[in-house]
Amino acid sequence: DQQVKQNSPSLSVQEGRISILNCDYTNSMFDYFLWYKKYPAEGPTFLISISSIKDKNEDGRFTVFLNKSAKHLSLHIVPSQPGDSAVYFCAARERDTGNQFYFGTGTSLTVIP
Amino acid sequence: GAGVSQSPSNKVTEKGKDVELRCDPISGHTALYWYRQSLGQGLEFLIYFQGNSAPDKSGLPSDRFSAERTGGSVSTLTIQRTQQEDSAVYLCASSLGWNREQYFGPGTRLTVT
């Protein structure tokens, strides 16, 4: 049972434009959300996180938005750069258990120069 | 500083054989996680170690899987009597604590023939 879903397996964006990666979750007990970036043959790299007490968190070109009522998370990259081309995973943790992070299946972003 | 390292990077084994995968976490990180990623899937939580506490083994798929963490540092994931469905990339991550972002190693690609 996939509790964190990334329904778009791939996304292509022109350099300089905005990339929007989406993530949906089913568990209302999730209280902490993260985005990771993964290059081929490397482990995922932490990008940005957001707590459920917030609805937005910004770090440079990366902004994560959280819509708790819709159980929806999105990552905005502005402006997109060719080096952003990677697979992006969203992850969530349940408040009570805390140990286990649930990951989506990833979205492969290609930024076209 | 040094990141999370894993060895071997690739392992090919015959069905029925045992394998050991090693993870060296970042020095000072008290939390250590094992995940696996099968083809086309998201990261699947396997086990979590936090300091000297009993590990959270809730994600281990069968009793053929076990893990230990010696001295609160290096961890070994052991798969006994490997099956073809065990073929996946096994990722290790460490963090400063359960509430902190995880830093991943490059993974071990296991192929069971």
Side-chain angles (χ1 to χ4, degrees):
Chain A
D1 180 27
Q2 194 76 18
Q3 298 193 49
V4 177
K5 300 177 184 178
Q6 294 177 258
N7 293 320
S8 298
S10 63
L11 175 69
S12 291
V13 172
Q14 288 285 339
E15 180 179 4
R17 297 290 189 96
I18 183 172
S19 295
I20 300 176
L21 298 106
N22 294 304
C23 180
D24 296 291
Y25 59 96
T26 58
N27 190 339
S28 58
M29 298 295 283
F30 287 153
D31 72 337
Y32 184 51
F33 304 87
L34 308 94
W35 283 95
Y36 286 84
K37 179 169 75 172
K38 184 182 185 302
Y39 293 119
E42 295 182 11
T45 303
F46 170 74
L47 202 53
I48 192 168
S49 65
I50 188 167
S51 163
S52 60
I53 62 174
K54 294 185 174 182
D55 54 19
K56 177 183 174 181
N57 189 27
E58 196 171 346
D59 183 3
R61 296 186 298 113
F62 302 90
T63 303
V64 55
F65 294 92
L66 176 62
N67 182 334
K68 290 184 287 295
S69 61
K71 296 191 181 68
H72 180 80
L73 190 69
S74 64
L75 175 69
H76 293 209
I77 307 173
V78 182
S80 300
Q81 299 173 353
D84 296 329
S85 297
V87 177
Y88 289 78
F89 292 95
C90 65
R93 186 196 64 201
E94 186 175 320
R95 177 170 54 240
D96 291 338
T97 64
N99 297 340
Q100 180 171 165
F101 283 82
Y102 296 85
F103 282 78
T105 52
T107 296
S108 178
L109 173 66
T110 302
V111 180
I112 303 164
Chain B
V4 177
S5 61
Q6 292 185 246
S7 61
S9 55
N10 280 284
K11 176 72 176 178
V12 180
T13 190
E14 291 180 354
K15 177 181 172 182
K17 295 287 181 72
D18 298 351
V19 295
E20 282 191 355
L21 312 180
R22 178 188 167 106
C23 171
D24 284 85
I26 294 172
S27 178
H29 280 194
T30 58
L32 187 146
Y33 303 77
W34 282 97
Y35 295 87
R36 74 174 175 183
Q37 185 179 19
S38 304
L39 194 63
Q41 302 296 313
L43 276 70
E44 176 189 3
F45 167 79
L46 296 177
I47 189 169
Y48 163 74
F49 295 91
Q50 172 61 55
N52 296 321
S53 301
D56 177 352
K57 304 179 183 179
S58 59
L60 295 179
S62 78
D63 58 8
R64 296 187 295 106
F65 288 73
S66 62
E68 61 178 26
R69 188 178 184 193
T70 54
S73 181
V74 172
S75 178
T76 303
L77 177 69
T78 302
I79 309 173
Q80 296 178 311
R81 305 181 302 282
T82 52
Q83 304 293 314
Q84 287 186 330
E85 60 263 29
D86 299 334
S87 297
V89 176
Y90 289 81
L91 290 156
C92 173
S94 70
S95 70
L96 284 169
W98 69 274
N99 198 32
R100 304 294 296 271
E101 65 271 17
Q102 298 166 36
Y103 294 81
F104 282 83
T108 294
R109 180 174 295 278
L110 175 66
T111 304
V112 182
T113 61

